[in-house]
């Protein structure tokens, strides 16, 4: 009896703390949405209003009509980059990961070391060299320049490799006996059986591509090759800040990902749990 | 190649070596071909965008390379000396070390605490996990906009100032106040909000691998929650903790996005009152077009990261020996 009361009080305290913290974590989202529908006088009013006076869409139309900041174009750019990067980078990593796990050829260790070796190099040292290389190939202000370096994810290779190492060998052998080549086994058997893994790393890769900042800032110098994050940051470096437009823009930059996040949550959690523990 | 596939299995199996070898690629060749096709895209990509790039930049760091990225005149360590002699770069190094020293312990404690709390409850775990992880979908730039223009804006309508007014505090310009440096509150809470959920998930994964018998034993010994945490949970999370600390350190030392979004005014980059080494280098490389000095800076920053990483291994290694 005593013990029961103790755990009840304990779990009540735990729930209270967690609820308070959850409110704190969700408040920024609420403030963002509130401001995205407010007018400048409403946003800057000294007394706090919980809700905007009306659900008007003016801020969003103004955001897309501003000729100095091609917001629509930047959204398209970001979408194209994320939609290409997520499946391609995940597929390339899966291919290499499978070969490194299951196809025993001489020199495999060297290839593995070459790929894993790039993980030791901090991003800080690669941003300028990569700019030098992509710049010298004429990649500044181009879509391929924005895209290409993000397609090669050595970290995902390591994750896929350890996933395939524990893949049941019988299925592959059955495929081989049915006359499939090694490539056929990969395409017909391995790939369809790694969809969960591909979904989880693909979702993470999508988020990363959509949110990346330093590389698009360097390579997309012309407003037409801005990504949505660059367009967003341009609010703060312009002379006057239009607050309703800024909050509408921030909401547009955040909401697609938040929705995707909620939909793909299980995969994303799995991906994070896997990627973190293996590092 | 599919010809062999139509043959009955029992005939194919006893003679694997002799017959098929003449008509198709030998097993060894077919393996090598598959390996090459599957790994080539990754190897070429990493070769061009990592290995070639880094080798090129390393040579540039010893060259006079203004407005050019071709390898020009060899100047030895002059670029490194110039950067280390630059007070603004040294200030940015101090800034990033301070930032790391602040953000890493705070995020570590907060994410571990959240993980323990969420792991303890029976109902509603999924809800709380989502609430704390949701900010991870937000970019640093978008979060910086929110923090700068809504939550910690200097005007009375900012959320922090609105809450402060409830307690009779006056409106504070959080970002502009340098003594005391209130902008640290803005920087630390922002990164905490964005990252704590990710690390919480990693800690939860670690917590769930702790054998329940250990908790039962602790309960039998009459250990309270704090004692159980200190003697069972924390030691069992050792390898998770070491990995998470390393991830946090590396992420903090390379900070750029939120500092840029909060402090950049669009004027010459690297001249902001608060800036990180990467911001300084971005200014040197893209605005002054000095790729030699920029490259040197990238390698100096890498050296710092490697040193901190080794130091961490050293300290935690000693602690382990003592056990």
């Amino acid at each position: 009896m005593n013990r029961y009361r103790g755990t009840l009080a304990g779990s009540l305290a735990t729930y209270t703390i967690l609820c308070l913290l959850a409110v704190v974590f969700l408040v920024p989202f609420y403030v963002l949405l509130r401001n995205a529908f407010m007018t400048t006088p409403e946003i800057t009013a000294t007394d706090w209003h919980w809700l905007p006076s009306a659900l008007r869409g003016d801020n969003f139309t103004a955001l897309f009509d501003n000729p100095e900041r091609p917001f629509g174009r930047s959204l398209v750019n970001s979408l194209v980059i994320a939609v290409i990067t997520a499946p391609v980078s995940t597929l390339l990593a899966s291919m290499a990961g499978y070969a490194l796990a299951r196809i025993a050829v001489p020199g495999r260790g060297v290839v593995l070391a070459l790929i894993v070796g790039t993980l030791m190099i901090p991003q800080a040292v690669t941003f300028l060299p990569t700019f030098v290389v992509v710049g010298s190939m004429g990649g500044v202000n181009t879509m391929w320049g924005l895209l290409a370096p993000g397609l090669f994810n050595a970290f995902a290779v390591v994750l896929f490799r350890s996933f395939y190492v524990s893949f049941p060998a019988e299925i592959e052998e059955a495929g081989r006996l049915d006359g499939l080549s090694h490539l056929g086994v990969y395409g017909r058997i391995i790939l369809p059986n790694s969809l969960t893994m591909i979904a989880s790393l693909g979702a993470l890769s999508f988020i990363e591509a959509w949110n990346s900042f330093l590389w698009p800032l360097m390579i997309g110098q012309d407003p037409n090759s801005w990504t949505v994050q660059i367009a967003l940051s341009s609010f703060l470096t312009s002379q006057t800040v239009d607050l309703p437009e800024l909050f509408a823009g921030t909401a547009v930059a955040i909401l697609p990902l938040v929705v995707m996040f909620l939909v793909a949550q299980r995969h994303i959690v799995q991906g994070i749990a896997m990627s973190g523990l293996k590092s | 190649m599919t010809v062999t596939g139509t043959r009955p299995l029992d005939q194919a199996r006893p003679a694997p070596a002799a017959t098929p070898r003449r008509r198709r690629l030998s097993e060894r060749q077919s393996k090598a071909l598959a390996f090459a096709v599957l790994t080539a895209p990754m190897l070429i990509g990493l070769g061009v965008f990592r290995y070639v790039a880094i080798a090129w930049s390393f040579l540039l760091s010893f060259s006079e390379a203004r407005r050019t990225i071709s390898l020009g005149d060899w100047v030895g360590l002059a670029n490194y000396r110039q950067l280390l002699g630059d007070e603004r770069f040294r200030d940015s190094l101090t800034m990033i070390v301070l930032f790391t020293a602040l953000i890493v312990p705070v995020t570590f404690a907060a994410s571990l605490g959240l993980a323990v709390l969420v792991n303890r409850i029976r109902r509603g775990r999924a809800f709380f996990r989502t609430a704390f992880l949701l900010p991870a979908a937000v970019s640093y730039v978008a979060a910086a906009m929110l923090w700068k223009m809504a939550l910690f804006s200097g005007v009375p309508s900012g959320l922090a100032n609105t809450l402060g007014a409830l307690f009779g505090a006056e409106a504070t310009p959080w970002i502009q106040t340098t003594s005391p440096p209130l902008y640290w509150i803005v920087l630390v809470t922002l990164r905490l909000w964005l990252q704590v959920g990710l690390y919480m998930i990693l800690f939860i994964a670690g917590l769930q691998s702790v054998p329940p018998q250990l908790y039962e034993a602790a309960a039998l010994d009459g250990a309270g929650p704090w004692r159980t945490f200190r003697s069972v949970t924390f030691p069992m999370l050792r390898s998770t903790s070491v990995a998470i600390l390393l991830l946090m350190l590396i992420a903090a030392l390379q900070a750029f996005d939120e500092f840029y979004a909060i402090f950049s005014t669009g004027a010459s980059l690297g001249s902001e009152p608060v800036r990180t080494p990467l911001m300084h280098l971005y200014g040197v490389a893209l605005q002054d077009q000095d790729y030699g000095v920029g490259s040197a800076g990238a390698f100096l920053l890498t050296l710092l990261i490697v040193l901190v990483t080794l130091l961490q291994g050293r300290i935690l290694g000693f602690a382990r020996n003592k056990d």
Side-chain angles (χ1 to χ4, degrees):
Chain A
M1 194 62 200
N2 215 345
R3 193 172 154 223
Y4 173 70
R5 274 228 303 252
T7 49
L8 187 68
S11 71
L12 256 179
T14 310
Y15 275 108
T16 313
I17 296 170
L18 283 176
C19 285
L20 283 174
L21 287 173
V23 169
V24 170
F25 270 74
L26 295 175
V27 153
F29 291 106
Y30 154 73
V31 174
L32 171 65
L33 277 181
R34 185 195 77 130
N35 287 9
F37 288 103
M38 279 180 158
T39 59
T40 306
E42 280 182 296
I43 294 173
T44 53
T46 326
D47 50 333
W48 182 262
H49 292 277
W50 286 101
L51 292 170
S53 60
L55 272 184
R56 50 182 108 62
D58 305 10
N59 299 338
F60 294 91
T61 44
L63 174 71
F64 286 98
D65 285 345
N66 187 343
E68 282 169 35
R69 181 182 300 112
F71 203 83
R73 177 71 194 262
S74 76
L75 266 183
V76 172
N77 286 342
S78 285
L79 196 64
V80 170
I81 292 170
V83 163
I84 296 179
T85 303
V88 174
S89 71
T90 314
L91 180 71
L92 292 182
S94 151
M95 286 162 49
Y98 174 71
L100 290 169
R102 280 307 174 86
I103 306 180
V105 294
R108 179 166 72 160
V110 178
V111 174
L112 180 64
L114 279 174
I115 291 175
V116 174
T118 63
L119 289 176
M120 314 286 169
I121 311 161
Q123 293 249 299
V125 76
T126 61
F127 84 104
L128 191 56
T130 315
F131 179 76
V132 166
V133 165
V134 173
S136 74
M137 296 194 289
V140 176
N141 286 328
T142 65
M143 191 45 97
W144 80 258
L146 282 162
L147 259 170
L151 298 179
F152 309 100
N153 184 349
F155 200 59
V157 176
V158 175
L159 294 182
F160 271 111
R161 183 179 166 271
S162 62
F163 173 72
Y164 289 130
V165 162
S166 54
F167 203 78
E170 297 81 33
I171 306 176
E172 283 172 83
E173 277 158 21
R176 293 282 296 148
L177 287 176
D178 281 347
L180 285 174
S181 65
H182 280 97
L183 287 176
V185 168
Y186 174 75
R188 301 265 186 90
I189 297 172
I190 302 299
L191 202 53
N193 278 298
S194 11
L195 290 182
T196 315
M197 182 81 177
I198 286 177
S200 91
L201 291 183
L204 283 176
S205 161
F206 190 97
I207 294 176
E208 206 181 302
W210 181 273
N211 284 344
S212 74
F213 182 64
L214 180 53
W215 180 250
L217 183 69
M218 295 176 80
I219 212 80
Q221 294 165 2
D222 177 83
N224 277 321
S225 39
W226 279 356
T227 63
V228 67
Q229 310 298 336
I230 309 299
L232 211 53
S233 78
S234 75
F235 274 104
L236 293 182
T237 48
S238 63
Q239 291 303 309
T240 51
V241 181
D242 187 324
L243 285 176
E245 241 184 83
L246 177 142
F247 288 114
T250 311
V252 171
I254 289 180
L255 286 183
L257 275 205
V258 167
V259 171
M260 193 200 95
F261 195 91
L262 291 175
V263 172
Q265 208 200 138
R266 266 190 46 215
H267 292 310
I268 292 169
V269 169
Q270 232 178 22
I272 296 168
M274 282 184 303
S275 57
L277 289 177
K278 301 278 163 57
S279 65
Chain B
M1 261 205 254
T2 48
V3 178
T4 48
T6 60
R7 201 170 31 201
L9 286 180
D10 51 328
Q11 280 185 24
R13 287 193 84 169
T19 26
R21 191 171 273 176
R22 247 177 284 148
R23 258 178 283 161
R24 49 185 261 180
L25 295 174
S26 75
E27 173 67 14
R28 244 178 54 206
Q29 283 170 322
S30 118
K31 259 188 180 177
L33 177 76
F35 187 84
V37 170
L38 291 174
T39 54
M42 188 58 68
L43 272 180
I44 293 170
L46 291 177
V48 172
F49 296 119
R50 295 284 188 279
Y51 285 107
V52 169
I54 286 163
W56 192 339
S57 190
F58 191 65
L59 295 175
L60 275 180
S61 77
F62 299 106
S63 310
E64 166 86 41
R66 277 175 217 271
R67 301 191 179 282
T68 174
I69 49 170
S70 52
L71 300 171
D73 308 315
W74 186 259
V75 292
L77 290 172
N79 290 332
Y80 289 88
R81 242 179 262 125
Q82 183 187 328
L83 251 183
L84 287 174
D86 186 342
E87 200 184 334
R88 293 180 311 144
F89 183 66
R90 289 204 309 263
D91 285 350
S92 75
L93 286 177
T94 315
M95 172 63 66
I96 205 67
V97 170
L98 276 177
F99 177 67
T100 306
L102 251 172
I103 193 74
V104 170
V106 172
T107 320
F108 185 89
S111 50
L112 178 56
L114 277 185
V116 170
L117 286 180
V118 171
N119 201 47
R120 186 192 286 174
I121 59 174
R122 292 222 179 81
R123 283 157 200 265
R125 263 191 212 182
F127 166 76
F128 289 111
R129 209 182 52 198
T130 308
F132 300 134
L133 189 57
L134 201 57
V138 177
S139 73
Y140 279 92
V141 178
M145 295 287 153
L146 257 175
W147 253 243
K148 181 177 181 175
M149 306 308 287
L151 306 185
F152 288 97
S153 65
V155 290
S157 58
L159 185 64
N161 284 335
T162 300
L163 289 176
L166 292 180
F167 300 97
E170 280 182 31
T172 312
W174 297 88
I175 291 163
Q176 287 79 16
T177 309
T178 46
S179 60
L182 293 180
Y183 58 82
W184 282 114
I185 297 178
V186 182
L187 288 169
V188 169
T189 51
L190 189 157
R191 201 168 254 250
L192 199 60
W193 184 69
L194 283 176
Q195 293 207 321
V196 95
L198 298 174
Y199 297 119
M200 175 195 74
I201 296 292
L202 298 183
F203 273 126
I204 288 179
L207 281 173
Q208 287 174 349
S209 64
V210 179
Q213 297 91 308
L214 288 180
Y215 287 114
E216 284 157 23
L220 279 180
D221 289 348
W226 175 241
R227 177 77 216 191
T228 310
F229 176 79
R230 265 186 49 208
S231 320
V232 179
T233 313
F234 198 63
M236 289 306 288
L237 285 178
R238 153 153 242 131
S239 60
T240 310
S241 300
V242 171
I244 287 178
L245 268 181
L246 194 64
L247 290 175
M248 285 179 178
L249 280 171
I250 293 174
L253 288 169
Q254 301 185 68
F256 176 86
D257 300 10
E258 78 264 42
F259 283 83
Y260 178 93
I262 288 178
F263 296 105
S264 171
T265 53
S268 130
L269 223 133
S271 59
E272 291 77 10
V274 179
R275 65 194 177 284
T276 71
L278 268 187
M279 274 170 82
H280 185 85
L281 298 179
Y282 177 91
V284 168
L286 278 102
Q287 282 167 347
D288 309 345
Q289 306 261 308
D290 194 335
Y291 298 105
V293 173
S295 295
F299 285 102
L300 281 176
L301 186 55
T302 304
L303 197 68
L304 177 70
I305 293 173
V306 171
L307 276 178
V308 169
T309 310
L310 288 178
L311 205 68
Q312 190 217 3
R314 200 65 193 265
I315 291 169
L316 294 171
F318 275 137
R320 180 177 292 167
N321 288 344
K322 231 169 55 182
D323 283 348

